[in-house]
């Protein structure tokens, strides 16, 4: 690896972001009115805006940062209804009919995308591939066999084999034919161009922070402007308005991806390990290079070890899979999983029929985001949709939700307490340039990042959402909250999650102060 390649590999930018520049839009700078407001410019929000505008609805799309700069820009970009081993579990929990609907909804999303791409000649590397889940142990193989039995019961096409096609030891593998992969930002580039063509107003750097009035809805943005509308679709990864305590009904996970250029024969499917450690593999042809994307290493946000270790482990896996290879990019993403693993898509609550939410895609946002856009479009247009009940955020299935709910919230309570009482061993002097850590500062716990030029930024590590203690993520230079997944830049600005306010900056008594966000120590 050359020095330049090594430095590039240290950045955490996806190959998607590196190769497509999406059009830019200005921030909202006045009060406006619209029929349907869409909050969140990822695949769900963009697709919903496209579908609603195509149906003649007056739509406005706002995004807190840049379009597709959240999880959509950091995906594996597999378009599939094979979401790991899920159908046996869904059938046991929801019954065969709903498990079948889950498959059908995802397949429909795949077909809608394929049709859109084909009919409009969208150049986005769309390729049909089988999706394959493989077992590395006898125990995993038994789970894969159960999944195949569920496929058979539900009428899902699938093929159980004793090998994977990958140069890895595997006991068995279950493939689902005719799934697909693509370049997500090339695809969204087309949809965004269509929004412009249809005259849909799009505002970036425009964060919704408050539902000021419910009937009819009035949304206030961080800059203080108001948006009056009839319907609101909250497609922002985590709902900014949370009357149903979504933060306690979803748990956040981070996962990691590396892109490796290789001369080895590239595997023909899209692979996922059945057990842990999770490994995801797919091929990619980009800029004349043969690449393989390798992902995995999931962990709860803010609760991982040194995040660099996750990339090292994926690199080791790449070496054993591909032999000689050149790592050219690495990145990570955050996803939320609901308590019963089925996303929340629909009215935010039974008595708020004009406020809709789409969240909890469990890493399968390409199909799930697309199906959510279709379902929300039908709800806004008051058209029938067969998936309303399955994805309803108001559903309550007692088992296993309650158990998971209690475990998740006990862990949260633990993090609230643990973070406050720990003694920090590090001091600012222990940090090298471009390093961060929680340190003891005048006997107070503080988050410190020493910038590449040696300047120090200090933040209060108390998460402004509900008061848990954030942890440092060295590979992304962020502060991550272990409770509900809020993430902040090194200087405390909000990136993601339920927190809507930044971490407080702290200054030392002898430091000159700029800005009123800073608190003296
Ligand atoms: Fe809820 Fe931090 S995200 S306390």
């Amino acid at each position: 690896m050359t020095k330049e390649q090594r430095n590039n590999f240290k950045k955490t930018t996806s190959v998607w972001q590196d190769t497509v520049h999406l059009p830019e839009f200005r921030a909202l700078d006045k009060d406006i009115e619209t029929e349907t407001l869409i909050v969140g410019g990822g695949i769900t929000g963009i697709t919903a805006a496209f579908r609603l505008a195509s149906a003649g609805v007056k739509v406005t799309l706002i995004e807190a940062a840049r379009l597709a700069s959240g999880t959509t820009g950091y995906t594996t970009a597999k378009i599939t209804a094979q979401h790991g081993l899920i159908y046996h579990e869904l059938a046991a929990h929801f019954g065969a009919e709903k498990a079948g609907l889950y498959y059908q909804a995802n397949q429909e999303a795949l077909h809608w995308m394929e049709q859109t791409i084909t009919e409009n000649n969208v150049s986005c590397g769309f390729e049909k591939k089988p999706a394959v889940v493989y077992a590395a142990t006898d125990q995993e193989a038994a789970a894969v066999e159960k999944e195949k039995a569920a496929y058979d019961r539900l009428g899902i096409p699938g093929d159980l084999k004793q090998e994977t096609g990958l140069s890895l030891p595997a006991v068995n593998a279950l493939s689902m034919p005719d799934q697909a992969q693509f370049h997500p930002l090339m695809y969204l580039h087309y949809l965004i161009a269509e929004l412009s063509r249809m005259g849909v107003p799009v505002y970036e750097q425009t964060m919704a922070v408050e539902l000021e009035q419910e009937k009819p809805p009035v949304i206030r943005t961080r800059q203080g402007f108001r948006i009056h509308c009839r319907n609101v679709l909250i497609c922002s990864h985590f709902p900014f308005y949370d009357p149903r305590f979504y933060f306690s009904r979803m748990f956040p996970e981070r996962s990691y991806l590396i892109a490796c250029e290789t001369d080895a024969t590239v595997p023909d499917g899209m692979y996922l390990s059945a057990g842990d450690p999770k490994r995801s593999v797919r091929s990619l042809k980009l800029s004349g290079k043969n690449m393989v994307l390798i992902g995995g290493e999931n962990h709860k946000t803010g609760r991982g070890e040194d995040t660099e270790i996750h990339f090292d482990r994926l690199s080791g896996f790449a070496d054993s899979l591909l032999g000689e290879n050149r790592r050219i990019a690495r990145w990570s993403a955050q996803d939320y999983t609901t308590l019963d693993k089925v996303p929340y898509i629909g009215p935010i609550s039974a008595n708020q029929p004009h406020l809709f939410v789409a969240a909890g895609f469990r890493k399968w946002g390409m199909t799930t985001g697309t199906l959510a856009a279709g379902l929300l479009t039908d709800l806004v247009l008051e058209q029938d949709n067969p998936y309303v009940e399955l994805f309803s955020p108001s559903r309550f299935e007692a088992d296993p939700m309650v158990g998971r709910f209690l475990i998740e919230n006990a862990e949260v309570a633990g993090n609230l307490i643990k973070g406050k009482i720990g003694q920090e061993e590090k001091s600012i002097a222990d940090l090298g340039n471009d390093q961060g850590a929680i340190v003891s500062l005048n006997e107070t716990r503080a988050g410190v990042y020493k910038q590449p030029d040696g300047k120090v930024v200090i933040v209060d590590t108390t998460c402004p959402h509900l008061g848990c203690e954030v942890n440092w993520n060295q590979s992304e230079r962020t502060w991550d909250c272990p409770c509900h997944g809020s993430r902040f830049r090194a200087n405390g600005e909000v990136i993601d999650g339920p927190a809507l306010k930044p971490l407080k900056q702290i200054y030392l008594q002898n430091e000159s102060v700029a800005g009123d966000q800073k608190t003296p120590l």
Side-chain angles (χ1 to χ4, degrees):
M1 227 190 254
T2 65
K3 192 171 171 204
E4 191 192 354
Q5 282 169 330
R6 261 199 309 277
N7 285 342
N8 275 344
F9 188 62
K10 277 192 180 155
K11 291 190 304 185
T12 46
T13 309
S14 73
V15 284
W16 321 125
Q17 298 279 7
D18 258 352
T19 50
V20 169
H21 185 79
L22 294 177
E24 295 181 23
F25 297 88
R26 66 188 172 83
L28 183 68
D29 56 2
K30 59 177 187 236
D31 294 353
I32 56 168
E33 269 181 45
T34 188
E35 207 172 315
T36 295
L37 173 68
I38 299 175
V39 178
I43 189 167
T44 312
I46 293 169
T47 311
F50 173 81
R51 294 187 75 153
L52 283 164
S54 302
V57 178
K58 194 178 158 208
V59 180
T60 298
L61 174 65
I62 62 169
E63 159 58 43
R66 296 274 338 271
L67 293 181
S69 63
T71 303
T72 295
Y74 294 86
T75 168
T76 55
K78 295 175 177 175
I79 311 171
T80 178
Q82 189 190 62
H83 298 174
L85 300 179
I86 185 77
Y87 290 99
H88 171 75
E89 187 178 338
L90 286 181
H93 181 48
F94 288 96
E97 190 188 341
K98 283 189 177 162
L101 281 174
Y102 183 93
Y103 169 74
Q104 191 182 308
N106 281 283
Q107 280 292 109
E108 271 180 22
L110 190 163
H111 291 145
W112 186 88
M113 294 168 89
E114 181 177 14
Q115 199 178 0
T116 303
I117 290 164
T118 312
E119 284 178 0
N120 301 290
N121 287 322
V122 182
S123 168
C124 60
F126 182 89
E127 291 177 282
K128 284 292 195 69
K129 299 270 178 192
V132 182
V133 60
Y134 66 91
T137 66
D138 288 343
Q139 200 182 359
E140 290 166 19
V144 169
E145 278 172 25
K146 273 191 193 164
E147 186 75 352
K148 172 66 167 91
Y151 278 28
D152 293 345
R153 271 201 315 283
L154 300 172
I156 299 173
D159 201 6
L160 186 64
K161 291 187 181 162
Q162 303 309 311
E163 45 86 40
T164 58
L166 289 176
S167 57
L168 287 173
V171 186
N172 66 11
L174 177 59
S175 69
M176 185 182 280
D178 287 329
Q179 306 300 291
Q181 61 185 30
F182 71 158
H183 187 312
L185 298 197
M186 289 171 85
Y187 167 73
L188 290 177
H189 196 285
Y190 165 75
L191 293 186
I192 294 164
E194 284 299 291
L195 295 184
S196 297
R197 188 186 60 75
M198 291 187 278
V200 172
V202 177
Y203 299 98
E204 293 182 315
Q205 309 296 346
T206 302
M207 182 188 251
V209 291
E210 192 186 342
L211 179 74
E212 223 174 54
Q213 174 186 303
E214 203 180 308
K215 286 177 192 161
V218 178
I219 303 295
R220 191 171 58 79
T221 69
R222 164 153 294 165
Q223 293 87 348
F225 300 108
R226 288 177 177 77
I227 305 170
H228 300 256
C229 53
R230 220 184 280 168
N231 300 297
V232 185
L233 272 49
I234 305 176
C235 308
S236 53
H237 203 210
F238 200 99
F240 74 93
Y241 169 67
D242 194 9
R244 299 290 309 272
F245 302 109
Y246 283 96
F247 66 81
S248 66
R249 298 199 285 143
M250 298 196 289
F251 61 88
E253 276 196 323
R254 295 204 69 71
S255 54
Y256 299 79
L257 266 164
I258 60 173
C260 308
E261 192 183 345
T262 177
D263 300 323
T265 308
V266 174
D268 189 43
M270 304 180 295
Y271 299 87
L272 185 69
S273 61
D276 291 324
K278 271 281 169 266
R279 293 291 179 259
S280 159
V281 178
R282 65 154 278 191
S283 61
L284 172 68
K285 242 194 193 116
L286 200 57
S287 314
K289 292 176 183 164
N290 270 341
M291 294 184 222
V292 175
L293 305 187
I294 292 176
E297 291 290 311
N298 314 355
H299 64 81
K300 296 267 177 72
T301 301
R303 301 185 209 178
E305 33 203 340
D306 176 358
T307 41
E308 289 291 329
I309 288 170
H310 301 295
F311 289 116
D312 291 346
R313 290 192 189 129
L314 292 182
S315 296
F317 181 80
D319 292 343
S320 59
L321 181 70
L322 305 169
E324 196 185 316
N325 66 88
R326 296 163 293 288
R327 260 83 81 179
I328 57 171
R330 66 179 200 166
W331 64 97
S332 69
Q334 178 146 317
D335 289 275
Y336 286 87
T337 298
T338 68
L339 296 174
D340 59 12
K341 298 190 181 167
V342 174
Y344 301 129
I345 307 167
I348 205 159
S349 72
N351 55 4
Q352 293 171 299
H354 299 298
L355 303 177
F356 302 93
V357 69
F361 295 167
R362 202 173 66 95
K363 301 186 183 62
W364 300 106
M366 297 298 103
T367 39
T368 315
T370 303
L371 86 81
L375 174 45
L376 295 182
T377 298
D378 284 344
L379 288 169
V380 168
L381 297 175
E382 299 184 4
Q383 289 175 350
D384 289 341
N385 183 296
Y387 311 118
V388 170
E389 200 188 326
L390 172 64
F391 293 106
S392 167
S394 305
R395 69 182 176 268
F396 184 78
E397 310 280 345
D399 171 35
M401 282 175 80
V402 171
R404 289 286 289 279
F405 180 90
L406 294 176
I407 290 166
E408 289 301 319
N409 283 285
E411 282 185 29
V412 166
N415 277 296
L416 271 166
I417 297 162
K418 193 175 68 190
K420 305 284 183 201
I421 58 177
Q423 273 296 318
E424 300 312 322
E425 311 232 313
K426 281 195 172 157
S427 69
I428 292 182
D430 297 327
L431 294 179
N433 289 0
D434 199 21
Q435 279 188 343
I438 293 176
V439 304
S440 186
L441 211 56
N442 301 346
E443 297 182 4
T444 302
R445 198 172 192 269
V448 175
Y449 171 60
K450 207 179 253 185
Q451 296 176 165
D453 62 5
K455 280 195 192 132
V456 164
V457 187
I458 309 173
V459 295
D460 181 341
T461 51
T462 308
C463 176
H465 178 229
L466 287 182
C468 288
E469 289 290 299
V470 297
N471 289 318
W472 178 245
N473 175 341
Q474 178 61 34
S475 60
E476 298 186 78
R477 287 26 169 205
T478 58
W479 296 104
D480 297 351
C481 182
C483 289
H484 314 107
S486 289
R487 299 183 62 238
F488 308 85
R489 290 185 216 293
N491 66 2
E493 278 171 29
V494 183
I495 303 172
D496 200 0
L500 295 169
K501 291 187 178 152
L503 296 174
K504 280 189 190 144
Q505 280 199 20
I506 291 175
Y507 69 93
L508 302 175
Q509 290 294 4
N510 57 0
E511 194 185 0
S512 65
V513 187
D516 52 12
Q517 292 282 4
K518 294 189 170 186
T519 303
L521 188 76

